[in-house]
């Protein structure tokens, strides 16, 4: 996620519509990955504790599908995604689909939409409170992520803190407050 947002910020900084398009695609993909991951993590928790009553079971099932809107709806219910953040993510996702799939340009506003999307994604990531974040020692930390994270290990107690710090730093680079 950090690798994609870092690359998105780099493209955004180039200041032209074509690079803003890449920034929008990268940040949209990052948010879609984390939204999907949240649903999978919740499904895993319910499997581990089957006696638990879970009030958002229907929303969880829908969030595991292919529809972005259902993933956003689930994050609003369970992960503190605000209504404003959800609206921004949905609008930016629609823009991303147009510029990627349809080829509609939106050049006059593309940089602003990409900056707002990245800022919103970073703000949401900062509010995201996973119980843990880890990677195994046989996984290679991407070069862009190495800037933000310490060396890999089996369990990284500081990884969530480092993740949030990376998001704050990247958000500050969007030029959007």
């Amino acid at each position: 996620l950090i690798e994609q947002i870092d690359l998105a910020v780099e493209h955004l900084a180039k200041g032209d519509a074509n690079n803003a398009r890449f920034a929008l695609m990268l940040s949209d993909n990052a948010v879609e990955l984390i939204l999907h991951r949240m649903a999978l993590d919740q499904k895993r928790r319910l499997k581990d504790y089957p006696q638990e009553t879970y009030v958002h079971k229907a929303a969880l099932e829908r969030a595991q599908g292919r529809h972005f809107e259902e993933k956003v709806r689930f994050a609003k219910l369970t992960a503190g995604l605000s209504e404003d953040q959800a609206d921004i993510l949905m609008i930016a996702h629609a823009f991303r689909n147009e510029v990627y799939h349809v080829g509609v340009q939106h050049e006059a506003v593309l940089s602003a939409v990409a900056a707002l999307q990245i800022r919103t994604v970073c703000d949401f990531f900062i509010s995201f409170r996973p119980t843990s974040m880890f990677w195994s020692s046989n996984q290679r930390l991407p070069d862009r992520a190495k800037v933000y994270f310490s060396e890999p290990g089996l369990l990284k107690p500081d990884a969530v803190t480092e993740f949030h710090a990376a998001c704050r730093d990247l958000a500050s680079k969007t030029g959007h407050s």
Side-chain angles (χ1 to χ4, degrees):
L1 298 173
I2 294 300
E3 182 178 35
Q4 287 189 2
I5 297 299
D6 185 71
L7 185 55
V9 167
E10 181 183 307
H11 278 287
L12 183 64
K14 294 182 183 209
D16 63 275
N18 194 45
N19 278 291
R21 186 175 292 109
F22 287 129
L24 185 62
M25 286 187 273
L26 287 161
S27 58
D28 185 70
N29 186 62
V31 77
E32 194 158 9
L33 286 171
I34 202 160
L35 293 175
H36 190 73
R37 182 39 146 225
M38 290 171 153
L40 291 178
D41 287 350
Q42 182 59 45
K43 181 180 179 179
R44 191 174 300 113
R45 277 191 290 279
L46 292 176
K47 186 178 178 186
D48 291 344
Y49 301 98
Q51 71 280 8
E52 228 177 80
T53 304
Y54 188 65
V55 296
H56 302 298
K57 222 172 215 175
L60 171 60
E61 290 302 316
R62 289 189 303 271
Q64 293 171 64
R66 296 187 142 302
H67 299 285
F68 186 76
E69 182 177 355
E70 296 298 340
K71 295 174 190 316
V72 169
R73 192 171 289 136
F74 182 70
K76 282 174 36 182
L77 287 171
T78 64
L81 184 68
S82 73
E83 191 69 39
D84 287 344
Q85 288 173 323
D87 288 346
I88 291 165
L89 295 180
M90 291 300 299
I91 291 166
H93 184 72
F95 264 76
R96 179 253 182 224
N97 282 341
E98 285 185 21
V99 299
Y100 185 73
H101 294 295
V102 183
V104 176
Q105 301 301 311
H106 298 297
E107 289 178 342
V109 296
L110 202 49
S111 289
V113 171
L116 180 58
Q117 164 79 341
I118 294 168
R119 179 64 196 223
T120 302
V121 168
C122 288
D123 288 346
F124 175 57
F125 287 0
I126 292 165
S127 71
F128 178 52
R129 300 285 180 223
T131 53
S132 65
M133 203 176 258
F134 59 91
W135 49 88
S136 67
S137 57
N138 65 347
Q139 289 177 307
R140 184 179 166 271
L141 195 60
D143 290 339
R144 287 179 180 275
K146 285 180 183 178
V147 172
Y148 303 100
F149 291 98
S150 57
E151 287 302 309
L154 190 55
L155 184 61
K156 300 299 296 176
D158 295 332
V160 174
T161 302
E162 291 173 340
F163 177 73
H164 291 150
C167 292
R168 276 188 213 78
D169 183 49
L170 291 165
S172 72
K173 294 177 181 177
T174 64
H176 199 284
S177 53

